[in-house]
């Protein structure tokens, strides 16, 4: 598993390529949950989500000959865009396997960054394996890669700098790369902080992996497509077991309401995945004491106007 030193090395490596995003107070939104709330605004990150941190750390850590062969990955959207962006910056190309039902806006973003999109109704990993075997491209895993985890952990370093007295850090969970990295950094710098993961009820790969003691396949079906991982990673599960205090789940309707309230109260246009942590606060699923000093990661904002309208409806 990555260490704090690995995360710090990643921070130095990727600094020229990413934004240092703000951690913003959200007093009105926090009052609804009875906590002192701060939002780590990763929706302001390059490509619109935290994903570019881990991707750049992974790509910059690869031998040049592996980068030159081209890159490949699987993703519902945010990791795909990040890899296409990083590949262009590294002077290589990226092929991204995405679900057949992937959000059209996210597909368009990948293509705009120069990535080649392959959509499939089948298993994404099988399609990636076929492409790797046929073309020799290098896989950059969306979450289960120590370099990706360390890069994502730079979010945790910034949280620890911005809110050193945080009682709780709330992090959304898909495959687990973000929470694995953040928890590694936060627990090393502020061991008294509680780290809580949040999954949609119908995309609970990490919850099931924790119960089984190993990754298990799931069929995710959340409207928070950024959290629809078909399994938790081996590395991410190990980090969560070591550093995360608990993982909770929330229903999709709570995510939509949290999305609405976050936009109304903070003016941050989060995508559904970016609002799941707030949903855990507002529903009480996170189980946080009243008055606690809480940081919640607003992981991304890659959602198009049509999706906004469909999810949020009339005011």
């Amino acid at each position: 598993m990555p260490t704090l030193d690995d995360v710090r090395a990643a921070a130095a490596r990727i600094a020229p390529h990413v934004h240092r995003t703000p951690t913003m107070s959200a007093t009105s939104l926090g009052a609804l949950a009875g906590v002192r709330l701060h939002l780590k605004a990763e929706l302001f990150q390059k490509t619109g989500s935290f994903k570019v941190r881990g991707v750049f750390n992974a790509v910059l850590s690869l031998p040049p000959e592996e980068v030159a062969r081209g890159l490949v990955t699987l993703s519902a959207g945010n990791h795909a865009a990040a890899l296409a962006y990083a590949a262009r910056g590294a002077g290589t190309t990226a092929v991204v396997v995405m679900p057949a039902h992937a959000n059209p806006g996210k597909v368009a973003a990948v293509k705009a960054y120069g990535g080649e999109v392959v959509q499939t109704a089948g298993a994404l990993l099988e399609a990636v394996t076929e492409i790797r075997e046929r073309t020799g491209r290098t896989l950059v895993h969306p979450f289960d890669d120590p370099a990706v985890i360390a890069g994502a952990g730079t979010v945790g370093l910034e949280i620890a700098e911005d809110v050193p007295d945080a009682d709780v850090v709330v992090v959304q969970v898909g495959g687990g790369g973000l929470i694995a990295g953040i928890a590694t950094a936060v627990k090393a710098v502020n061991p008294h902080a509680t780290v809580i993961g949040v999954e949609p009820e119908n995309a609970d790969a990490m919850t099931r992996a924790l119960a089984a003691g190993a990754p298990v396949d799931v069929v995710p079906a959340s409207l928070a497509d950024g959290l629809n991982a078909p399994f938790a990673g081996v590395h991410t599960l190990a980090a969560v077991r070591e550093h995360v205090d608990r993982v909770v789940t929330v229903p999709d309707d709570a995510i939509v309401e949290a999305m609405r309230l976050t936009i109304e109260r903070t003016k941050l246009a989060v995508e559904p995945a970016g609002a799941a942590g707030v949903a855990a606060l507002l529903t009480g699923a996170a189980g946080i004491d009243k008055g606690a000093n809480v940081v919640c990661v607003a992981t991304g904002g890659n959602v198009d106007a049509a999706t906004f309208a469909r999810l949020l409806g009339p005011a």
Side-chain angles (χ1 to χ4, degrees), residues 153-189:
T154 60
V155 178
L157 283 184
E158 294 175 14
I159 288 172
E161 292 172 359
D162 292 346
V163 192
D165 58 343
D167 299 313
V168 182
V169 178
V170 180
V171 187
Q172 291 87 313
V173 181
L178 180 62
I179 194 169
I182 288 179
T184 296
V186 167
K187 287 288 191 175
V189 177

Side-chain angles (χ1 to χ4, degrees), residues 221-234:
S222 175
L223 58 82
D225 60 334
L227 303 180
N228 275 339
F231 51 84
V234 173

Side-chain angles (χ1 to χ4, degrees), residues 29 40-41 123 207 250:
L29 188 61
K40 176 60 169 166
T207 297
V250 292

